[in-house]
């Protein structure tokens, strides 16, 4: 039931290693460092719009989860798909993506048989149909007018390096574009929401990010490029530490290519195995503490551990690993670092609630605080 929702031709569903490698090369052409750098101005524009909204709240409060959802969804339609939506249509696009991605966590979709009428009668199916129609409109425009700077354009016109002629099929372009929307919006918005919570709990860390940005602005100016983002070493450590504590909550499904023994248990060739990324992070011997404090949002959040080779975690796989590592990782990291860098330059904030016990939403792909991280914001003082 998940296959028709994501699309059977998405990279996620190609099981043959050789075909997967070829498909990954083609899809990966839209995720190269050069492609991501070309997208940074569009990402900055989306971030700037949301930061203005934060400051316009004045003495009121603002829910950071909504800010980050709107931010990543604006990137989805502007940059990933390259759509030219009218202002009144933007909320409909946002709702369609929310219905589509939100429905994926529905346990009914894990039933071992196809649900009749799923795509026609369910909310998630109707949302996907709307999104598919927008992609079809854009593909027709690309065919008529030629390439532009959107991620979809790079997918559509990508050719295989081996022969320079092989291109993605229409279905492969469609399904992989939709999957990039899901991967980019869910990972980035969830992680940014958690970052905003952690920085509210650890104001000294926020001050260090702001100091790093002030230094970079004095050296490089106000602009953001890939080169400048690469210099945001402390900011990078904050994002990585957040993803160590709060990676994907669901399990990774893999088929054993050969018989292996793990902790004395045999997994026969061809059997399916479920990998738990969060548990893998928890058991990392470099950071492990018997009392579990290394995974606690108050006691275990230590971005500095990423700045020292001896203290750096020995395992970190929020984007998976190996040949099936998330292909949208570079885009997601850029989205998060651009927003946080711009936020640090312009905004100070504090949490409205600072409860000892943090409540979390259930049935989500990645961790999301139950209150959406409500804050009071103000213009940052240099």
């Amino acid at each position: 039931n998940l296959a028709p929702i994501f699309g059977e031709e998405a990279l996620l569903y190609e099981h043959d290693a050789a075909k997967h490698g070829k498909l990954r090369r083609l899809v990966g052409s839209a995720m190269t460092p050069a492609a991501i750098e070309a997208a940074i101005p569009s990402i900055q524009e989306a971030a700037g719009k949301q930061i203005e909204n934060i400051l316009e709240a004045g003495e009121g409060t603002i829910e950071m989860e909504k800010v980050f959802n709107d931010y990543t969804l604006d990137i989805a339609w502007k940059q990933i798909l390259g759509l030219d939506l009218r202002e009144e249509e933007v909320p409909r696009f946002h709702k369609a993506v929310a219905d589509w991605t939100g429905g994926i966590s529905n346990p009914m979709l894990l039933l071992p048989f196809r649900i009749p009428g799923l795509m026609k009668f369910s909310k998630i199916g109707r949302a996907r149909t709307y999104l598919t129609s927008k992609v079809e409109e854009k593909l027709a425009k690309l065919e008529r007018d030629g390439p532009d700077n959107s991620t979809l354009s790079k997918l559509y016109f990508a050719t295989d390096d081996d022969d320079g002629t092989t291109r993605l099929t229409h279905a492969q372009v469609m399904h992989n574009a939709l999957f990039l929307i899901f991967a980019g919006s869910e990972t980035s918005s969830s992680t940014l929401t958690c970052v905003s919570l952690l920085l509210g709990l650890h104001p000294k860390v926020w001050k260090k990010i702001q100091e790093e940005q002030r230094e970079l602005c004095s050296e490089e100016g106000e602009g953001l490029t890939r080169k400048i983002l690469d210099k945001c070493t402390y900011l990078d450590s904050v994002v990585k530490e957040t993803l160590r504590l709060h990676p994907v909550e669901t399990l990774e499904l893999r088929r054993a290519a050969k018989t292996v023994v793990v902790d004395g248990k045999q997994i026969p060739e061809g059997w399916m195995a479920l990998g738990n990324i969060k548990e893998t992070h928890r058991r990392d011997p470099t950071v492990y503490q018997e009392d579990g404090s290394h995974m606690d949002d108050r006691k275990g959040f230590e971005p500095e551990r990423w700045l020292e080779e001896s203290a750096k975690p020995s395992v970190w796989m929020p984007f998976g690993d190996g040949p099936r590592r998330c292909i949208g990782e570079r885009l997601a990291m850029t989205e998060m670092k651009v927003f946080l860098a711009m936020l640090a330059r312009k905004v100070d904030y504090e949490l409205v609630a600072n409860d000892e016990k943090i409540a979390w939403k259930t049935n989500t792909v990645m961790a999301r605080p139950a209150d959406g991280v409500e804050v009071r914001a103000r213009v940052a003082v240099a």
Side-chain angles (χ1 to χ4, degrees):
N1 292 302
L2 285 173
I5 289 169
F6 278 130
E8 293 91 337
E9 299 293 324
L11 193 60
L12 182 70
Y13 286 100
E14 181 51 70
H15 301 296
D16 182 89
K19 292 179 180 177
H20 177 270
K22 191 166 190 175
L23 181 58
R24 187 178 177 89
R25 286 196 302 273
L26 285 163
V27 176
S29 65
M31 294 285 116
T32 63
I36 299 302
E37 177 149 32
I40 288 177
S42 176
I43 295 172
Q44 278 188 267
E45 181 183 353
K49 174 185 173 183
Q50 294 304 323
I51 290 171
E52 286 179 10
N53 291 341
I54 291 173
L55 292 174
E56 285 174 1
E59 297 295 320
T61 63
I62 192 160
E63 185 182 303
M64 295 302 283
E65 182 180 20
K66 183 179 186 310
V67 169
F68 297 132
N69 284 344
D70 288 348
Y71 166 59
T72 55
L73 291 175
D74 280 348
I75 291 172
W77 70 262
K78 285 183 180 178
Q79 176 55 44
I80 296 179
L81 299 185
L83 301 178
D84 186 21
L85 296 181
R86 301 184 305 276
E87 186 175 349
E88 60 269 22
E89 192 174 3
V90 173
R92 183 183 179 189
F93 180 89
H94 283 199
K95 184 178 185 306
V97 177
D99 288 345
W100 178 58
T101 58
I104 288 169
S105 60
N106 187 336
M108 288 289 290
L109 297 178
L110 299 179
L111 292 172
F113 55 83
R114 289 290 173 95
I115 301 174
L118 174 67
M119 299 308 294
K120 185 175 182 181
F121 299 110
S122 68
K123 182 166 69 172
I124 189 172
R126 291 193 299 271
R128 187 186 184 279
T129 298
Y130 166 78
L131 294 173
T132 300
S133 72
K134 303 312 292 183
V135 177
E136 291 285 11
E137 289 175 13
K138 179 63 180 184
L139 290 178
K141 186 174 187 300
L142 290 171
E143 181 64 27
R144 183 179 67 249
D145 301 337
D148 58 25
N149 195 43
S150 67
T151 304
L152 183 61
S153 174
K154 291 177 174 62
L155 287 175
Y156 186 63
F157 292 104
T159 56
D160 189 14
D161 289 339
D162 286 350
D163 56 27
T165 58
T166 303
R167 291 175 59 177
L168 294 169
T169 66
H170 187 88
Q172 286 172 335
V173 172
M174 170 72 69
H175 296 173
N176 284 288
L178 290 175
F179 185 71
L180 286 175
I181 291 174
F182 170 76
S185 59
E186 176 61 32
T187 300
S188 298
S189 62
S190 296
T191 304
L192 283 168
T193 303
C194 288
V195 171
S196 66
L197 170 67
L198 290 166
L199 294 175
L201 295 173
H202 301 271
K204 289 182 180 179
V205 174
W206 180 237
K207 292 300 180 188
K208 287 184 179 181
I209 294 176
Q210 290 180 313
E211 288 168 8
E212 180 178 67
Q213 290 306 309
R214 280 195 290 270
E215 289 177 10
L216 284 170
C217 285
S218 65
E219 295 171 4
E220 306 283 352
E222 294 290 333
L224 280 174
T225 62
R226 197 178 90 205
K227 175 186 171 185
I228 294 172
L229 289 176
D230 287 344
K231 290 184 176 183
C232 300
T233 53
Y234 191 73
L235 174 57
D236 185 69
S237 72
V238 167
V239 176
K240 286 181 175 176
E241 181 69 349
T242 302
L243 284 165
R244 182 186 71 81
L245 291 170
H246 297 291
V248 63
E249 296 283 337
T250 54
L251 301 176
E252 291 276 337
L253 183 65
R254 294 290 185 268
R255 187 187 302 275
K258 61 181 180 179
T259 300
V260 294
V261 176
V262 180
D263 288 342
K265 307 292 184 182
Q266 185 183 84
I267 304 175
E269 178 182 348
W271 278 40
M272 303 306 292
L274 289 169
N276 188 321
I277 292 174
K278 191 167 187 176
E279 182 65 11
T280 302
H281 285 186
R282 189 186 74 80
R283 296 190 183 198
D284 180 359
T286 305
V287 301
Y288 184 79
Q289 297 293 322
E290 191 69 36
D291 63 359
S293 59
H294 63 298
M295 297 299 288
D296 184 84
D297 290 313
R298 296 178 187 273
K299 300 176 182 178
F301 181 65
E302 298 179 10
E304 286 75 12
R305 73 172 85 243
W306 293 92
L307 304 177
E308 298 179 23
E309 202 59 39
S310 60
K312 190 177 293 186
S314 61
V315 60
W316 185 77
M317 46 190 303
F319 296 99
D321 208 356
R324 291 184 179 270
R325 189 180 181 106
C326 177
I327 203 163
E329 175 181 358
R330 189 176 285 118
L331 175 61
M333 290 294 289
T334 300
E335 288 178 4
M336 292 186 282
K337 290 168 72 173
V338 165
F339 193 101
L340 291 170
M342 293 178 66
L343 188 71
R345 296 175 182 191
K346 297 183 177 182
V347 177
D348 275 322
Y349 74 91
E350 59 190 21
L351 299 176
V352 172
N354 197 349
D355 300 332
E356 186 63 31
K357 185 173 178 58
I358 301 166
W360 298 91
K361 293 182 177 180
T362 58
N363 295 326
T364 56
V365 176
M366 295 186 71
R368 288 177 179 255
D371 69 348
V373 188
E374 196 174 4
V375 306
R376 288 189 180 88
R378 58 192 177 277
V379 176
V381 177

